[in-house]
Amino acid sequence: MDRKWQEAWTKARIFEANANEQEKFFITIPYPYISGSLHIGHARVVTEADVYARFLRMKGKNVLFPIAFHISGTPVLGISLAIKNKDPQKIDLYKEYVRTYVKNEEEVERIVASFEDPQKIVDFFIPKMKDEFSTLGLSVDWRRSFTSGDIEHQKLVEWQFRKYRKSGYLVQGKYPVLYSVALANAVGEDDIIDGDLDPVEKQEFVLVKFPFGDQMLVAATLRPETLFGQTNVWVNPDVTYSVAQVGKERWIASEECFDKLILQEYNVTKTGTVKGRDLLGKYCTAPFLEKEIIILPSKHCDPDRGTGIVTSVPSDAPFDWMSLKTLQDSEDLCTEYHLDHKEIRKIQPIPIITSKGYGDLPAVTLCQKQGITSVLQKKELTEATQEIYKVGFHTGVMKETCGQYSGMATTKARDEMKAALLTGKKGAIIFETSRPAKARDGSKVVIAVIDKQWFLDFTVGKWKEHAREALKKMEVVPEKYRKQFEDTFLWLDKRPCARRRGLGTKLPFDPRWVIESLSDSTIYMALYPLCHLIRQYKLQEKHLTEDFFDYVLLGEGKADQCGVPRKVLDALHKEFSYWYPFDHRHTFAAHLSNHLSFMIFAHVAIFSKHQWPKKVTFHGMVLSEGEKMSKSKGNVVTLLEVNERYGADTFRAFMCNSTSVESTCNWETAEVEKMKNHLGTLCRILESCIAHRATGPLPKSTLSLISRVERITAQATEKLAAMELRDYATLVLFELMNWYKKGTRKLTREDLARVNEYILTRWLLLLAPLTPHLAEELWQKAGKKGFISIAAWPHADISKINAIAEYKEEFIENIENDIRTVCRLVNVQPKEITLFVADHWKSELVSLVKDLLKETHDQKTIFNAVMKTDLRKRGEDVTKILPALLKDVGKIPTFVLGQEDEQATLHDACADLEQTFGCNIKIMMADKTTEQKARAALPGKPAILVR
RNA sequence: GCGGACGUGCCGGAGCGGCCAAACGGGACAGGCUUAGGACCUGUUGGCUUAGUGCCUGCGCAGGUUCGAACCCUGCCGUCCGCACCA
């Protein structure tokens, strides 16, 4: 059934939107990146956008909902490289993908082999992705689809970057990246073994230079603020260090270190070596202290970490403290290294930082506390180091031993001391990975500094100011994300925007660089109004010049210079002006700090104010059976599976009904099955409505049902307009059904048929955005003309909303429940039930109190006010009732019907109640009986006597 | 570390100062319908309470503000998300 309607829609082209006189609505979602089969994560955003788009279309808007595809970046390239390199895993994986579409094994082989060419991957998967998306029943205008590799897109991006450059937003500079020497390339998280599980970060070490004769001993530290506590320098006695000319200086450091420095834009010439052992016992000059300190042995200096030389701060570094202690406690060890044991024993830790609860010598204190007695307790030492770092760094204050930095917070001292080292040429910077890491080919990952990296500099000029202005005017749903935008805008600084590899658009003025994939996808929505027309008019690459885009998008520039007839340009400009800006972008919340923010920046950089984004909405993530979807867990649910097992409507209904748009959706097969089941029931009910219809006046007993239907219509409309899809779905899938069942239970066949006639169209229309296939099918079965997908959204007849009728129904229901409670408590099968309607004066009292409550909740005030009226005559009773009433205002009925109406309502329901309880039911006025029980009656709560 | 969000019944999840023992959905239990199963219908599903439509306890934990708090404030505990060159 799904396929049938999808084809019918395509054939009738009802979702192809063109500029016209109608009010437009242009909704977009992030174009998906090709990565094999689409799964329910991809499907969430499009489904939600589609429900909304369908609603607005039915509301009479000219809705454009397009989808394009993103192919930029390294992943697609990575696939083709892997296949070129005959990577068996990747080949198998892609064979499997292809097999889902192609049955002939030879053909599968041929297709996968062709993937050596990345374009072939794109060519193969794009149509499949469109098909897979289509199985969801999307109301997408596919004519306007393109990929980020298409020439139209590339030309647009080139135009965008030329604009950036003219505005001074593009700058060049040095930049550290994760790098593999063997691959001679930068590597991303995906390229690193376990890069996703244990991310590799870039750490900045400060190199500290120790004058040592005419050379410099170079140590590396993460904590320059501790340098006043230096007592000695550690070198590894078993390591042979290198000596190298670095600029005008001669440095001593590990060979590995120099290799890294070479990659980090240092001018290094290795000139010789020196054994660690030979440095022991000698002295070098410590920066800040400006005095000689001794060089001592430590086997824990790793030549592949920093420089392989470590400056020792035993007061704050547990490793240093234990190393020092080992040496001090062992005369033999000193003798082995030809050190004067007495001298070594004189070395004392220097207190430098006071931090909460650790005293002056946190390393000493903590080692004692944790029972650390040996340098070999590596794990404990590392933990202790981290703890001191955390506490010392965030709560610490520099002591009087720290010269001009005394009294300063450690965080501040750190920055200032680092700066002092750098400006005084006593220090430098080296980048290290936060953990040892290997690329997928096994090669070591280090950090390289790229020179002349292109950046987008968000801090230039009024860029941020404009972005904030755009944000201010933009609708953000949920509103709580606005603050997150503001915060993001604050820390956005310079962003590298080009790489040396990957698919995408080349920088027009520096074609060695490819524009990075998040930077090339910030204004592509501007192509949706145009792309199919550019193709229709057969415009070529040579036409898509700066002038072309200037004119079509901005209405400025020299229109005659691009070789496109003015008429065509005007047609394009007109279409563009009609649609742009987009009215709504629906996105994953995780995209906020990058894609969405860049999108806003790009728009304010390129477009004028009236073309800035109008609205952004966010959805939550999708879990599968309570867990993140991943191939390794095997819980990825593809759209192909969804289509096979459940069909589009079940998917849509589940997705929208299971959770609110902004929350996490948990896909649980058992729950989805239930939804499928429910839709089956719903379908049967609607079919019986179709089969059994008649025109004619509706009986009085359906007043409340009609009221509810109208109310639900109004609510559904409201919820949809606010994109509160869960509430909408619950209303039309469940509430409407429940009220229908309840409200039609006791109707005659004839009345039922009339209700059916009334409700059927309404119900189908309300369902149409959510379950379009089901709605379309039943619409046709009911003999309605045209597609329900483009039928007019129903108006709620507010005048039929009858709160009193609804209340009366609840009133009777409450009585039923109360009678049941009483019967259960008394434990009798009732033979006769008497209902006593409360006295007239009680209605007066409750009405009065209800009014008074609008003003105050103060018991005294209310009591006094009541006593001023005629009710004073009932003073004693009032004193009894009032406190109870005020204690729980829930007891006060929504409407005070009054004695007459209450009695009449009970009379109307009497027959039903008698049937329900299988006994005779008497209704009496409480003031017309001597029965004690009757005195308990309250408005809305008749007293009940069971016999 | 920085920034943000969340914590409600057997479960998913509403509620965002009074109408809350808590919408809606699901599960479980009991009954009806049925050859049976499914579907469907009815009732029950925190504790106490056998003349009663009530009372008590309860919305992560501990306090506070208020006539009144799941909802506001403070602290604590726990869970999740984002932090850029990655799509």
Side-chain angles (χ1 to χ4, degrees), chain A residues 562-573:
Chain A
C562 59
V564 179
R566 187 58 177 253
K567 211 173 64 192
V568 172
L569 283 177
D570 284 336
L572 288 168
H573 180 62

Side-chain angles (χ1 to χ4, degrees), chain A residues 350-361:
Chain A
I350 307 165
I352 46 168
I353 295 171
T354 331
S355 48
K356 247 189 199 160
Y358 290 88
D360 287 348
L361 300 171

Side-chain angles (χ1 to χ4, degrees), chain A residues 25-44:
Chain A
F25 192 85
F26 180 14
I27 181 167
T28 69
I29 50 135
Y31 49 2
Y33 189 86
I34 359 178
S35 55
S37 304
L38 291 169
H39 55 71
I40 51 177
H42 297 106
R44 180 172 190 176

Side-chain angles (χ1 to χ4, degrees), chain A residues 204-210 219-230 287-289 311 313 316 352-353 389 393 398 402 405 409-422 426-429:
Chain A
E204 189 190 87
F205 282 75
V206 175
L207 294 178
V208 186
K209 299 178 201 169
F210 295 78
T221 179
L222 282 167
R223 302 193 60 189
E225 72 276 15
T226 62
L227 290 179
F228 280 102
Q230 298 175 96
F288 289 110
L289 294 176
T311 180
V313 184
D316 285 68
I352 46 168
I353 295 171
Y389 185 87
F393 190 63
M398 308 302 289
C402 300
Y405 303 97
T410 28
T411 38
K412 198 176 169 204
R414 177 196 199 170
D415 292 341
E416 298 208 352
M417 288 174 72
K418 176 178 145 191
L421 283 172
L422 294 179
K426 289 177 181 173
I429 297 291

